[in-house]
Amino acid sequence: MQKDAYTLILEAIDAGLYRPGDRLVESELAERFGVSRTPVREAMQRLETQAMLARDGRSLIVASLDHNQLAELYVVRAELEALAARLAAKHAAPEEIRVLQEMIDLDRGQQNDPVALARANKRFHHQLHLASHNRYLVQQLDLVHRSMALLATTSLAAEGRGARALDEHQAIVDAIRASDEEGAALALRTHISQAFETRLKLDAESRGEHP
C-alpha cells in the first residue's frame, strides 16, 4: 500500500531527515517523495494544524518545543504510558512479554550508540503500547510520540543514560511479567521522569547553564 504525502513527511521528520527549524519547501518535498504538489500542500496544512509545522514568515518550518510545551508533553506521556504499563501487566500475553525482554537484551549491545538506541527505544515503547491491548490508548500514544520527533536531541545521548534507561525498561518488564499493575505503572513513571530530568540537564548544558 502506497503511503500518502502526510505519512511520508511525518516519517521524514520522525527519522530526523527534517529537524526542528528546517524549512520545508513544497516543490522539494514533491520531488523527494515522487508525488504531486497538491497532496504535499494539503499534508503541510494538516501538519500545521497539528502543530508539527510552524509559520516563519511565508514559509513553513518544522516546529520546535519550548520549555512549557516540553513539560506538558512529558506530563501527558507519563500518565498515558503508565496506563499502558498497567494494562499490559493485566493483559499482555506471555509471547508479548518475551518480545519485550528480547528487545532489552538486544538493545544492551547498542547502549553506547545513542542514535541506534533511540530507534530501539521507540520500538520498545510502541511494543509496550500494543501490549496494553487498548487501541484508543495506542492511538493517543502515537500522537504523543509523534510530537517527540520535534525534540532536536535524544536524552539517550547523555553519558550513562543508555544503560540506565535499559535498566528502567527491565524494571517495567519485570513488573508486567509479575502482573504487578501498580508496580508497572510506577516503573514507567520513574522511567519517564528520569528521561525528562536528563533532557532538562542537556538543554541547560547546551545553553551554557548549570543544570
Side-chain angles (χ1 to χ4, degrees):
M1 182 177 173
Q2 189 172 9
K3 295 178 181 178
D4 59 15
Y6 171 81
T7 302
L8 290 167
I9 297 171
L10 202 54
E11 289 182 349
I13 294 172
D14 191 47
L17 295 176
Y18 299 108
R19 303 181 67 78
D22 285 354
R23 186 166 69 100
L24 298 188
V25 179
E26 188 181 297
S27 57
E28 292 176 1
L29 291 171
E31 183 176 353
R32 173 189 280 269
F33 299 128
V35 296
S36 66
R37 292 177 63 164
T38 299
V40 169
R41 185 182 310 120
E42 292 171 348
M44 291 173 70
Q45 290 171 347
R46 183 179 172 190
L47 288 164
E48 184 183 6
T49 64
Q50 295 175 341
M52 293 294 291
L53 300 182
R55 284 279 162 193
D56 181 24
R58 298 181 62 183
S59 301
L60 279 173
I61 62 172
V62 179
S64 56
L65 301 177
D66 62 26
H67 177 82
N68 288 338
Q69 290 171 311
L70 181 64
E72 291 164 9
L73 179 62
Y74 269 93
V75 166
V76 172
R77 184 185 175 194
E79 291 305 312
L80 291 181
E81 292 223 45
L83 176 56
R86 180 182 288 110
L87 291 174
K90 186 175 183 179
H91 299 299
E95 294 84 356
E96 290 177 304
I97 297 171
R98 284 199 292 271
V99 167
L100 287 168
Q101 183 62 60
E102 288 169 6
M103 284 180 165
I104 296 171
D105 295 341
L106 287 171
D107 293 348
R108 292 205 183 274
Q110 46 192 6
Q111 61 188 29
N112 294 320
D113 183 345
V115 175
L117 195 56
R119 287 195 296 266
N121 184 63
K122 290 177 186 176
R123 289 192 294 270
F124 175 85
H125 280 269
H126 185 64
Q127 189 63 38
L128 176 62
H129 304 163
L130 295 175
S132 74
H133 291 252
N134 187 303
R135 73 192 71 181
Y136 300 104
L137 180 58
V138 171
Q139 288 171 0
Q140 294 306 309
L141 280 164
D142 282 348
L143 289 173
V144 170
H145 276 261
R146 186 177 299 167
S147 297
M148 297 295 292
L150 300 179
L151 301 173
T153 58
T154 171
S155 62
L156 295 167
E159 185 176 354
R161 178 59 194 155
R164 291 194 301 273
L166 290 173
D167 289 342
E168 291 158 15
H169 283 182
Q170 187 64 62
I172 296 165
V173 173
D174 287 346
I176 291 172
R177 185 183 291 113
S179 300
D180 181 357
E181 297 177 37
E182 290 306 314
L186 177 60
L188 202 297
R189 279 201 182 91
T190 299
H191 175 53
I192 300 301
S193 175
Q194 291 296 316
F196 184 32
E197 183 178 336
T198 301
R199 181 169 296 284
L200 290 176
K201 290 177 180 177
L202 285 174
D203 288 351
E205 289 169 4
S206 70
R207 295 190 301 269
E209 303 169 0
H210 291 293

